[in-house]
Amino acid sequence: MHETGGPASPPDVVRSLVPARIDRLPWSRFHTRMIVALGVAWVLDGLEIQIASIVGPVLQHHGTLGLSSRAVGFAATVYLLGEVVGALVFGRLSDRLGRRKLFIATLGLYLAANALTALSFNYGIFLLFRFIAGMGIGGEYAAIHSAIDELIPARYRGRVDLAVSGTYWFGAILASLGEYVLLNPHLLPQNLGWRIGFFIGPVIGVGIWTLRRTLPESPRWQLMHGRAEEAEETVAQIEREVEATGHRLPPVDESRYLDVHPHESVSFLTVGRTLFREYPSRSLLGATLMISQSFLYNAIFFTYGLVLSHFYGVADHDVPKYFFAFAAGNLLGPLVLGPLFDTIGRKRMIAGTYLFSGTLLAVSGYLFKLGELSALTQTILWSVIFFIASAAASSGYLTVSEIFPLELRAQAIALFFAIAQVFGALGPTIFGALIGDKDHPNPGRLFIAYLIAAGIMLVAGVVEAVFGVRAERASLEDVATPLSAARRTAEKVGRRLGDGAGPTGTGPTGTGPAGAGTAGA
């Protein structure tokens, strides 16, 4: 344990500089390796959903599984339900057992389930393994975002989180390219190509799973769970690895010590009480951002093919060509705009991207209603809109992963992810109903659907402008004081941020538990 020169701590309190030592680290090979090993979760999810979307028509042939359209759609729903269950179950375990155990276990579960999906011989078995694969990916989200936020220095956290989330679209592009070859009946038998497609993810994941085993546990998690000596040793190992690459570490600001009461686990009751009683505005913020982006993406992504074919007469085999431009915009948005979330700041960038993308969607919908767009110009507009909306959506995940106390971070991510998935599932249903049949397309009704999605994004932007948290370049312990932190530390954090926190935790820059250091909630 690293003692500081500050006033003595009570016997049951651990005093540590672990968070400050993590945040003062320069970017190094360790951080790059960690991002490669953990960030693949989003690549795999994009890969999975796109593969399932592409192979759906193939699975309807009698030479494969002979499914109906309804059965294909239900399989996608089962996968999404698996993600919700996995997020809730493994999010709980990640906060209780540690990040490392869970990000190894959830990836292993996904690898096994997806490989077995490829071997499915009937619909029931196919659904079972799709559900389990979804559980693995859902669990990944909670454990991965927690580990990344807790190990990345504060000044890089925003751009890294956004870039990792954006790689979902890299996975979708890989799936489209792979299936373009594998589903070609001139190259492979129809009942073989789709099965090989489900092995793409496990092939990528096996190497990543091995790399993950070299990563350490989150020192922050260790510290808050009474494992101070392990936390100190973990940070020391990371520091030695960073120094071995030629970096000279600056001195640690010893005034940034943290007093912590060892804390083993948090009950569901504590999670609910903390989120909705002590952090009501933050819970409203997290739910709004996550629901709005989920509704928008599910609505547009699952129906863009119908729009191209019904309204613009694009042939089914040509739809993937338009998808690549759509996916490229989504991939580039978080990569290009991500650094601005750490410099210009969270509130301005999050509110701006939600408001701007919502406005552009409404304008494009109006042009669509007037018949001013072609398949090409529609795709260009979508690419521009989602260049911005993708950064907005990724910032929703960033927000819920950094604005709550460490002890319940993974469960908070899981909870808001699950809520978002449930509401997001309404998007395709509403859009599909308003698009109508191919023989009777109605641009006016679809314009209403675009206005609904645009309105939800605009509401989210306003909520961010009012309740957003200025978390850029701030230590996680300053953004939300851990439940394990001694009161003296909480008060010190409040003074450091100048939030004027009083007994009720309210002040000129934030709201939350007393001394929560909200940095502008």
Side-chain angles (χ1 to χ4, degrees), residues 88-270:
L88 294 173
V89 171
F90 294 120
R92 167 72 174 165
L93 293 177
S94 180
D95 279 338
R96 183 176 182 181
L97 304 178
R99 316 308 190 202
R100 185 176 185 275
K101 290 180 180 178
L102 268 295
F103 65 59
I104 290 175
T106 52
L107 181 58
L109 180 65
Y110 159 80
L111 295 176
N114 224 47
L116 291 171
T117 298
L119 304 177
S120 300
F121 53 85
N122 63 41
Y123 184 51
I125 297 297
F126 182 79
L127 288 180
L128 172 64
F129 290 128
R130 292 306 291 157
F131 180 81
I132 297 174
M135 284 186 64
I137 292 297
E140 286 271 284
Y141 282 148
I144 294 308
H145 277 288
S146 299
I148 288 176
D149 280 0
E150 291 162 14
L151 283 165
I152 290 293
R155 60 191 178 280
Y156 301 115
R157 192 171 62 243
R159 70 193 72 186
V160 168
D161 254 32
L162 262 71
V164 167
S165 298
T167 58
Y168 172 100
W169 295 98
F170 179 65
I173 292 172
L174 284 180
S176 297
L177 292 172
E179 294 292 9
Y180 184 77
V181 175
L182 295 174
L183 297 184
N184 186 337
H186 301 294
L187 297 177
L188 291 171
Q190 196 174 59
N191 198 33
L192 178 61
W194 73 269
R195 296 181 185 275
I196 296 177
F198 278 106
F199 276 108
I200 296 176
V203 168
I204 295 173
V206 166
I208 296 298
W209 188 75
T210 302
L211 183 60
R212 281 189 184 183
R213 294 174 63 86
T214 68
L215 297 179
E217 179 57 87
S218 164
R220 282 181 157 106
W221 181 89
Q222 291 173 324
L223 178 64
M224 303 304 167
H225 287 75
R227 304 180 185 182
E229 292 184 3
E230 294 178 28
E232 296 287 340
E233 178 55 31
T234 300
V235 174
Q237 290 177 358
I238 296 172
E239 290 173 335
R240 288 193 292 269
E241 182 174 342
V242 172
E243 290 175 322
T245 62
H247 291 288
R248 295 187 62 182
L249 300 182
V252 183
D253 180 357
E254 297 208 353
S255 69
R256 297 188 64 83
Y257 68 85
L258 192 68
D259 285 335
V260 178
H261 290 288
H263 198 294
E264 279 301 321
S265 61
V266 178
S267 67
F268 280 117
L269 181 62
T270 300

Side-chain angles (χ1 to χ4, degrees), residues 278-279 481 487 490-518:
E278 299 185 12
Y279 288 94
T481 300
R487 181 172 180 80
E491 292 170 348
K492 178 167 66 73
V493 166
R495 291 195 301 272
R496 180 188 308 140
L497 293 171
D499 64 3
T504 61
T506 61
T509 64
T511 61
T518 58

